[in-house]
Amino acid sequence: MMPRKIKENVFLMGAVDWNRRLFDSLIPLPDGTSYNAYLIKGSKKTALLDTVDPPLIDVLLSQLDSFEKIDFIVSHHAEQDHSGSILRVLEKYPNAKVITSLKGKGMIVNHLCVPEEKVITVEDGEELSLGDKTLKFIYSPWVHWPETMLTYLKEEKILFTCDFFGSHIATTDMYVTDEGQVYEAAKRYFAEIMMPFRNIIKRNIEKISEYEIGMIAPSHGPIYDKPEFIINAYKDWISDTPKNVVVLPYISMHGSTEKMVQYLVDGLTKRGVKVHLFDLAVTDIGKLAIALVDAATIVIGTPTVHVGPHPMVVYATKLANVLRPKAKFASVVASYGWGSKAIEQIAEMIPNLKVEILEPILVKGYPREDDFKALDNLADVIASKHKENDFH
Ligand code: FEO
């Protein structure tokens, strides 16, 4: 990819990673991703905002061949995929300085071995003139590390947001063309890395509301030339009110848990509650994270393995706990052969969830009439709790 002009002397740079399928050895990337960098050429100085993930540095270096001089490399965020190639860019432009937040400095020095003397820190709200273009740096902590910041290009009203508002999509589109596709990818991204910081994100969104924003240029996925699309989506995702939705991750080994969860899905559906069912043996964990963004209730289905829940259920439960979704209610439907502490162990795994626990159901062997009555009762309770709380 060659540099692509966004505005006069403002270019989209960086690399599209079509084949990447996993991030941080944890997060699935079904649609690949991109590492966007941006180059802003002022009448006096030139700045590069972010770099690329190190394996794709040659793409960025070849784009930079068209630019004789870089004065500043702005590091919005110290993670490898944006700042991991700073040293290589510094080799090409040895006189360049790296601009970052106060917390960012320690991180790029410690994690990425950027020489301390190359780094200039900026305060929240500080401006840097490139001549006829001005960069204003806006601290935006916890989107999604403590050091993260944004850059506002005043003259063009472009907000460069790095991970914030990003989406993992590999595409040749410079701007959002398919809002449905980008909505899901951005929601997946929010769910996986931003959701634990919902309350701080609220403050960051309030902070940027004072700026006139014509365009949001993230460092993953396409640029938003209609920024209200993604800002409104974020406002919905960070709101405290969940939707009339149950998320039901489960595993079944011999069919008992499967029978229970399928019965519960039917019962909830009959009562007007939407359900997202995830068989953890085959599910994309990112899809589960997306569903957790809106869920009012989480019900976990598990058989018993050596007294406790199935290990895949342990993984999903711990993940839900660290993602801190806004769910208000939780329950467990479990089965066992001769002894079980599955329910107690799951309850201990979710201290971060501020949920009311609804009467769990534990079944010995295959579910029978009384068990189905208990499942009907659980469906009744969930439906009425959602109704009482006016969840739509
Ligand atoms: Fe895209 Fe937090 O790195």
Side-chain angles (χ1 to χ4, degrees):
M1 190 176 83
M2 296 309 292
R4 299 173 78 183
K5 183 175 162 184
I6 303 171
K7 300 269 184 180
E8 198 57 39
N9 288 324
V10 180
F11 299 93
L12 167 64
M13 317 277 282
V16 179
D17 199 342
W18 295 93
N19 300 323
R20 190 161 182 182
R21 287 293 172 270
L22 201 59
F23 202 89
D24 290 344
S25 301
L26 173 68
I27 295 168
L29 302 179
D31 303 314
T33 191
S34 67
Y35 316 109
N36 305 341
Y38 296 93
L39 190 132
I40 303 171
K41 197 169 181 314
S43 54
K44 293 189 177 146
K45 304 280 184 187
T46 299
L48 176 69
L49 312 189
D50 294 327
T51 65
V52 294
D53 207 34
L56 295 178
I57 180 58
D58 288 344
V59 179
L60 179 62
L61 290 178
S62 114
Q63 294 164 348
L64 287 170
D65 282 343
S66 341
F67 300 92
E68 193 184 323
K69 184 174 73 111
I70 297 286
D71 300 285
F72 305 110
I73 305 164
V74 174
S75 168
H76 292 120
H77 171 31
E79 201 166 2
Q80 285 274 340
D81 53 330
H82 308 294
S83 292
S85 297
I86 287 175
L87 284 179
R88 294 292 304 277
V89 179
L90 281 173
E91 273 173 25
K92 190 175 176 82
Y93 302 101
N95 294 323
K97 294 286 186 190
V98 181
I99 307 277
T100 190
S101 65
L102 292 169
K103 283 190 177 159
K105 179 176 179 179
M107 288 187 163
I108 59 172
V109 170
N110 287 328
H111 291 274
L112 306 170
C113 305
V114 174
E116 211 170 329
E117 63 276 13
K118 290 283 182 191
V119 182
I120 297 173
T121 57
V122 286
E123 302 275 355
D124 185 22
E126 196 170 327
E127 295 188 0
L128 175 71
S129 173
L130 305 178
D132 60 349
K133 297 193 191 299
T134 315
L135 307 182
K136 181 165 180 169
F137 303 106
I138 304 167
Y139 277 22
S140 56
W142 296 109
V143 288
H144 59 121
W145 281 13
E147 87 297 10
T148 41
M149 69 172 192
L150 321 173
T151 296
Y152 182 63
L153 175 56
K154 287 173 78 173
E155 291 77 8
E156 308 290 358
K157 300 180 174 47
I158 303 175
L159 186 66
F160 298 92
T161 57
C162 199
D163 278 345
F164 197 21
F165 302 123
S167 62
H168 282 309
I169 298 180
T171 176
T172 55
D173 290 344
M174 193 150 75
Y175 300 103
V176 174
T177 54
D178 181 343
E179 287 194 346
Q181 185 201 20
V182 176
Y183 183 92
E184 168 146 344
K187 190 172 185 179
R188 173 187 283 265
Y189 196 58
F190 167 84
E192 287 163 340
I193 68 166
M194 304 276 176
M195 187 154 63
F197 312 113
R198 275 191 309 121
N199 291 328
I200 302 176
I201 290 175
K202 252 178 228 174
R203 293 203 287 277
N204 283 320
I205 287 186
E206 279 162 21
K207 196 170 179 181
I208 61 169
S209 68
E210 65 193 62
Y211 293 85
E212 193 183 337
I213 301 170
M215 215 178 264
I216 287 179
S219 292
H220 295 293
I223 297 168
Y224 301 93
D225 52 353
K226 298 183 188 78
E228 63 282 359
F229 158 67
I230 193 65
I231 292 173
N232 289 339
Y234 260 67
K235 282 182 179 168
D236 180 36
W237 302 335
I238 61 175
S239 81
D240 292 326
T241 310
K243 298 189 174 15
N244 180 24
V245 168
V246 170
V247 168
L248 210 172
Y250 79 103
I251 283 266
S252 190
M253 292 163 73
H254 301 118
S256 294
T257 309
E258 176 80 38
K259 183 73 185 169
M260 292 163 75
V261 299
Q262 293 293 355
Y263 187 87
L264 185 58
V265 170
D266 287 346
L268 289 164
T269 307
K270 263 192 288 193
R271 290 163 176 83
V273 179
K274 184 181 174 85
V275 187
H276 291 289
L277 183 70
F278 296 98
D279 180 346
L280 294 168
V282 294
T283 200
D284 164 356
I285 213 80
K287 285 271 191 193
L288 171 60
I290 292 172
L292 286 172
V293 172
D294 299 321
T297 300
I298 303 167
V299 179
I300 294 165
T302 187
T304 298
V305 179
H306 299 306
V307 187
H310 190 286
M312 304 275 295
V313 169
V314 171
Y315 174 60
T317 306
K318 284 187 174 278
L319 187 69
N321 184 58
V322 297
L323 294 179
R324 298 170 183 257
K326 64 182 97 160
K328 308 292 184 202
F329 306 101
S331 192
V332 181
V333 292
S335 60
Y336 71 106
W338 49 89
S340 178
K341 294 278 182 203
I343 289 172
E344 294 88 325
Q345 289 185 16
I346 288 173
E348 283 166 10
M349 284 173 211
I350 51 172
N352 293 343
L353 302 188
K354 304 301 171 215
V355 288
E356 177 186 338
I357 303 286
L358 307 177
E359 187 66 34
I361 298 169
L362 181 65
V363 170
K364 183 167 184 172
Y366 202 72
R368 294 177 172 76
E369 196 180 335
D370 283 353
D371 305 314
F372 293 122
K373 274 189 196 153
L375 288 161
D376 281 331
N377 184 55
L378 179 58
D380 275 340
V381 171
I382 291 171
S384 58
K385 292 274 184 192
H386 287 199
K387 201 166 177 190
E388 277 164 28
N389 285 282
D390 212 17
F391 298 150
H392 298 290

